[in-house]
Amino acid sequence: MRVGTKVKDQRKNLAGLTRQRRLVLEVVRAEESHPTAAEVFDEARKKLPGISFATVYNSLRYLKDHGLLREITFGNGASRYDGVTDRHDHAICSACGQLVDFDLPGTVALTRAAARAAKFQAESVHLTLVGLCPECREDK
Amino acid sequence: MRVGTKVKDQRKNLAGLTRQRRLVLEVVRAEESHPTAAEVFDEARKKLPGISFATVYNSLRYLKDHGLLREITFGNGASRYDGVTDRHDHAICSACGQLVDFDLPGTVALTRAAARAAKFQAESVHLTLVGLCPECREDK
DNA sequence: TTCACTGCAAAACGTTTGCAAACAG
DNA sequence: CTGTTTGCAAACGTTTTGCAGTGAA
């Protein structure tokens, strides 16, 4: 992670954690699955009925920009949000759509190899596995 | 098709590959960059002015479903299409948005490692590198 | 004739934005 | 007071769908 002088001081920005933003963050962290914005909205409404869709989206963007959560995009469906911000990878079940986190060792070497192959200066690598989750595998 | 009494010198439709679908496929294959659906539409219109947006989308879906091209989704922007259907990876420039293909050796082992870590039965792995392309790297 | 495909428009979907009111510093 | 954030609705960009008409077999 690069921290330069042009980057705003994060502590100062953390002071901008309003009630709505804190709630959105709590909801994402509490959900075991990776909720979509709509699911976050539904859940947040239970605790703060007045919250609007726009505020949920704005909060998600704010939290993402400040590194407090991650946005996961796969396919053209709705983005999902992940309260775990450490580097990790995702697996998506092609049968039920379930999305799980997993950790793959050796990603530093992988990133370097990918950067060399692409002739890019690497910033990050995103690895997604598509397959059958354990439950759907049994159903077959 | 509404306009024009057209001559019937069309080649036979090979296995559902209609004129429009063939054109869409040609356009995707001819573009060096990975075009979005809108770009495919613009290009296709030059050769077949009557073609509609819906037909371009339907054709892209058909071609994708039949393995003749690949859809690349990253972030919430428009999907891009790739005429190369062999397994390969993608790199995206965080500065200019350019998308390039690259080949990473050892993806079979990588897939197996990822499947083991995720406890999934693997179908495919998608690896995307985000970084700076050679041109943008120099501009800095 | 039959049936899949096309073109058009409108709907659907996820997300962002304009704006006035409410709020925090 | 000044700047930020909220809630609402409306706009936006992308993709899909309903339907009537067309064309190929």
Side-chain angles (χ1 to χ4, degrees):
Chain A
M1 192 177 297
R2 195 176 33 180
V3 180
T5 44
K6 287 180 184 175
V7 178
K8 283 192 198 171
D9 185 312
Q10 190 155 316
R11 275 177 308 167
K12 182 184 171 187
N13 289 328
L14 283 173
L17 264 193
T18 63
R19 172 143 71 144
Q20 287 86 347
R21 290 175 183 170
R22 232 179 297 122
L23 173 59
V24 166
L25 182 56
E26 274 170 33
V27 168
V28 173
R29 286 190 173 155
E31 292 278 333
E32 59 285 356
S33 64
H34 305 261
T36 62
E39 287 162 356
V40 173
F41 174 67
D42 288 345
E43 199 58 35
R45 273 238 147 161
K46 293 180 186 168
K47 291 179 179 172
L48 192 63
I51 199 170
S52 70
F53 226 91
T55 297
V56 168
Y57 268 104
N58 287 333
S59 298
L60 288 170
R61 183 155 36 131
Y62 176 93
L63 294 166
K64 178 182 62 169
D65 289 347
H66 290 76
L68 295 168
L69 48 77
R70 278 224 265 166
E71 183 180 7
I72 310 164
T73 56
F74 193 80
N76 289 322
S79 290
R80 296 177 160 276
Y81 293 88
D82 191 336
V84 179
T85 54
D86 299 339
R87 210 220 84 87
H88 63 264
D89 303 291
H90 297 115
I92 197 166
C93 177
S94 58
C96 70
Q98 189 193 177
L99 178 66
V100 308
D101 292 348
F102 72 92
D103 219 347
L104 192 69
T107 47
V108 175
L110 180 64
T111 305
R112 217 177 301 130
R116 198 181 327 115
K119 300 185 172 60
F120 270 44
Q121 180 180 320
E123 283 167 9
S124 59
V125 261
H126 302 259
L127 191 142
T128 305
L129 178 81
V130 179
L132 288 176
C133 71
E135 293 85 46
C136 289
R137 196 174 174 176
E138 276 184 20
D139 292 349
K140 298 211 79 174
Chain B
M1 210 177 293
R2 197 153 44 116
V3 179
T5 337
K6 214 39 227 130
V7 237
K8 303 170 188 173
D9 57 345
Q10 288 186 18
R11 277 184 299 173
K12 183 178 155 189
N13 292 343
L14 295 146
L17 264 195
T18 63
R19 186 180 181 184
Q20 287 85 349
R21 290 175 182 170
R22 235 181 296 122
L23 173 59
V24 166
L25 181 57
E26 272 169 33
V27 168
V28 173
R29 285 188 173 157
E31 292 277 331
E32 59 287 352
S33 65
H34 305 260
T36 61
E39 287 162 356
V40 173
F41 174 67
D42 288 344
E43 199 57 36
R45 275 238 147 162
K46 293 180 186 167
K47 292 179 178 172
L48 191 63
I51 199 170
S52 71
F53 227 92
T55 297
V56 169
Y57 269 104
N58 287 334
S59 300
L60 287 169
R61 186 156 33 130
Y62 176 93
L63 294 166
K64 177 183 62 170
D65 289 347
H66 289 74
L68 294 168
L69 48 77
R70 278 223 268 165
E71 184 180 8
I72 311 163
T73 56
F74 192 81
N76 290 320
S79 290
R80 294 175 161 277
Y81 294 87
D82 192 335
V84 180
T85 53
D86 299 338
R87 210 221 83 89
H88 62 264
D89 303 291
H90 299 289
I92 268 189
C93 177
S94 57
C96 69
Q98 190 193 176
L99 177 65
V100 307
D101 291 349
F102 71 93
D103 219 347
L104 193 68
T107 46
V108 175
L110 180 64
T111 305
R112 217 176 300 130
R116 197 180 329 115
K119 301 184 172 60
F120 270 42
Q121 179 179 321
E123 283 167 9
S124 58
V125 261
H126 302 258
L127 191 143
T128 304
L129 178 81
V130 179
L132 289 175
C133 71
E135 293 85 45
C136 290
R137 196 173 174 176
E138 277 184 18
D139 291 349
K140 297 216 82 174

